[in-house]
Amino acid sequence: MQRRNFLRAGAATLASLAASQAMADELGNFAPPRQLAAVRAKADRIIDINVCRRPFRAQGPRIESEQRYGKTIVHHYGHGGAGWSLSWGSAQLALPLIRASGPKQIAVIGCGAIGLTTARVAQMNGMKVRIYCKERPPEVASSKATGMWSPDSRICSSEHATPAWTQAWEQMARSSFKTYQSLLGLADQPVEWRDGYFLSDIPFDQPLPDSAHGGEDDESDEPDYPDLMAQLDDLRPRSVLLKPGSHPFRVAHAKRFTQMSFNISSYQRLLMDDFLRAGGEIVQQEFEHPRQFGNLRERTVVNCTGYGARALLGDTSIIPVRGQTARLVPQIEVDYALIYRGHNLFMLPRRDGVLVQAQGEHDFGNEDTRIDRALSVAAVERLASLFA
Ligand SMILES: Cc1cc2nc3c(=O)[nH]c(=O)nc-3n(C[C@H](O)[C@H](O)[C@H](O)COP(=O)(O)OP(=O)(O)OC[C@H]3O[C@@H](n4cnc5c(N)ncnc54)[C@H](O)[C@@H]3O)c2cc1C
């Protein structure tokens, strides 16, 4: 991977969560109302490691319908690293296509973030939905995601971010955001707002040295990504640049940010429960070819197969972007996220464990789902280095 792109895809994608480009940071003290609990970052506390592939499309998600095999097929896939974040709004964009097909009984193929939210939005609009899928949570790729509000993460390439595209993205993001605010304060905390700290060895206005990214000769053709988050500046509190020495982390520079996050295990359980309670059915079925859609009872089929659409439809516009996360034994007292700039480290406290994500240098175009334990152990060690 070109170093420029590793920066964009890794640190910068995460950094956009923390750094508000349009507004200057406020300068403030750490001003702790209480002590921050240290993460017990040790490799022997790893309880799970997962790998999944982001279904990236340079042109953004495919949301369009076609008539084939005697059905109306509405394609709804390719949400890159932003599937959870954009899901509700994306389903709202797909809804007119689903409605236009007429019947009130529809089939949704796929039970990940996109399939479940599409099914719920259809139900809430008076439709009867049957989900057909190879896997359901917690086996789907969506179950292995990090769980951060990241609506701009690998969602399209700069080249394709036209004004019209950006407007549609913003509509999706705002609509999702609105829905997520209605899921706060519920039992099991499916959605929460968290503070986080964006840490850096060098001042934030200084570019990272090339050595921070490695992979000099990598020839991956990862594209540049557009800076979209500034469009949503009004949806989050401003970040605060902390005075040196006023925070407990072993780095020179820190900013505090506040961001929405998802406890994916309880959140997807809630989605499943709501779907079933509203009369939804789930049928386990794998499709080898889209012509098998023709055998379904429903005349409208919404294809939410995520990365699976690549093989199912032969759609090579879907590029796999590998991602690996580890979970440490839950620490309820750790209630803040961390991003360590230039060190490809992201930590998110979830109810099911302290999630540690490490960017690999060769994630783009990489469909390998084998676990690389050494990568996660190294990330946990970098995390440990931040605490005295
Ligand atoms: C490491 C990592 C971290 C991430 N973190 C975040 C994050 O913090 N926030 C965020 O918003 N997004 C995040 N993402 C991105 C997010 O996970 C994806 O965008 C999202 O999971 C895509 O959901 P999906 O429903 O399209 O796909 P999937 O979850 O893959 O669901 C696809 C469904 O289709 C079914 N299916 C596929 N093929 C077939 C077939 N042939 N026949 C029958 N069924 C089939 C599958 O069984 C499954 O049920 C992350 C991704 C990764 C890899």
Side-chain angles (χ1 to χ4, degrees):
M1 178 188 298
Q2 295 165 7
R3 283 170 294 176
R4 169 178 59 96
N5 289 330
F6 191 58
L7 170 66
R8 285 202 148 273
T13 296
L14 295 176
S16 72
L17 301 171
S20 175
Q21 275 112 29
M23 292 189 289
D25 296 303
E26 284 173 7
L27 185 66
N29 275 315
F30 178 64
R34 52 180 166 54
Q35 290 270 300
L36 287 186
V39 179
R40 295 167 72 185
K42 288 178 67 189
D44 64 1
R45 291 177 65 84
I46 295 176
I47 51 174
D48 197 17
I49 302 180
N50 282 300
V51 177
C52 68
R53 296 168 292 208
R54 300 167 182 88
F56 171 73
R57 295 180 82 233
Q59 51 277 73
R62 182 177 181 201
I63 308 178
E64 60 190 24
S65 69
E66 62 171 340
Q67 303 295 323
R68 270 176 98 181
Y69 315 116
K71 307 284 179 191
T72 299
I73 303 175
V74 178
H75 296 289
H76 190 202
Y77 61 78
H79 294 74
W84 280 111
S85 306
L86 293 175
S87 56
W88 293 104
S90 189
Q92 288 292 350
L93 280 193
L95 185 63
L97 302 178
I98 300 170
R99 272 206 177 119
S101 63
K104 287 269 187 188
Q105 294 213 341
I106 67 162
V108 168
I109 317 297
C111 197
I114 300 301
L116 275 170
T117 48
T118 302
R120 286 295 296 131
V121 166
Q123 284 179 327
M124 288 188 277
N125 283 274
M127 293 176 220
K128 194 163 167 40
V129 185
R130 189 177 285 123
I131 290 180
Y132 298 85
C133 58
K134 185 170 63 172
E135 302 123 340
R136 63 179 74 184
E139 303 303 330
V140 294
S142 297
S143 306
K144 297 165 186 166
T146 310
M148 194 77 164
W149 165 251
S150 56
D152 66 331
S153 176
R154 286 191 171 103
I155 191 62
C156 84
S157 70
S158 295
E159 187 195 346
H160 289 89
T162 60
W165 188 95
T166 304
Q167 198 181 8
W169 170 82
E170 186 175 341
Q171 191 185 332
M172 269 193 265
R174 287 186 181 276
S175 163
S176 269
F177 183 87
K178 180 80 181 154
T179 304
Y180 277 123
Q181 304 323 299
S182 71
L183 296 172
L184 289 167
L186 303 183
D188 298 329
Q189 307 286 355
V191 181
E192 288 184 284
W193 279 88
R194 295 282 197 187
D195 276 352
Y197 297 90
F198 186 37
L199 309 178
S200 181
D201 300 324
I202 56 172
F204 290 105
D205 54 6
Q206 266 180 34
L208 291 168
D210 285 347
S211 58
H213 307 295
E216 236 177 279
D217 299 323
D218 193 317
E219 286 170 3
S220 155
D221 49 4
E222 180 149 21
D224 282 327
Y225 300 105
D227 291 326
L228 297 166
M229 284 304 271
Q231 314 246 134
L232 304 178
D233 262 347
D234 57 309
L235 297 187
R236 58 192 172 153
R238 295 177 70 165
S239 56
V240 177
L241 188 60
L242 301 173
K243 286 185 183 157
S246 73
H247 58 81
F249 305 108
R250 291 173 65 182
V251 290
H253 305 275
K255 277 184 195 185
R256 187 179 58 231
F257 62 94
T258 306
Q259 195 71 11
M260 187 167 61
S261 65
F262 317 120
N263 285 301
I264 289 179
S265 54
S266 60
Y267 175 37
Q268 63 190 7
R269 210 170 263 262
L270 174 78
L271 289 173
M272 293 275 282
D273 287 351
D274 286 354
F275 172 70
L276 295 171
R277 212 175 296 127
E281 278 178 64
I282 301 182
V283 176
Q284 183 158 15
Q285 183 172 343
E286 178 169 2
F287 297 86
E288 309 282 333
H289 192 281
R291 85 170 71 86
Q292 292 171 287
F293 293 164
N295 303 330
L296 297 176
R297 277 175 273 180
E298 296 81 5
R299 287 209 344 254
T300 304
V301 179
V302 192
N303 173 24
C304 305
T305 47
Y307 184 70
R310 185 180 160 100
L312 182 61
L313 306 181
D315 183 348
T316 52
S317 71
I318 305 174
I319 312 285
V321 185
R322 185 183 188 280
Q324 179 169 310
T325 56
R327 268 186 302 142
L328 305 175
V329 176
Q331 273 186 269
I332 196 78
E333 69 281 14
V334 174
D335 58 0
Y336 57 90
L338 287 179
I339 298 170
Y340 193 8
R341 180 180 182 231
H343 294 266
N344 303 311
L345 176 66
F346 178 46
M347 182 280 283
L348 183 69
R350 291 197 336 206
R351 301 286 161 153
D352 61 349
V354 177
L355 191 126
V356 182
Q357 185 186 329
Q359 302 275 145
E361 280 173 31
H362 308 282
D363 285 344
F364 190 84
N366 186 348
E367 61 171 7
D368 190 350
T369 53
R370 284 172 303 175
I371 288 170
D372 176 355
R373 186 178 166 85
L375 188 72
S376 290
V377 169
V380 170
E381 284 166 359
R382 283 199 297 283
L383 180 61
S385 75
L386 295 170
F387 299 93

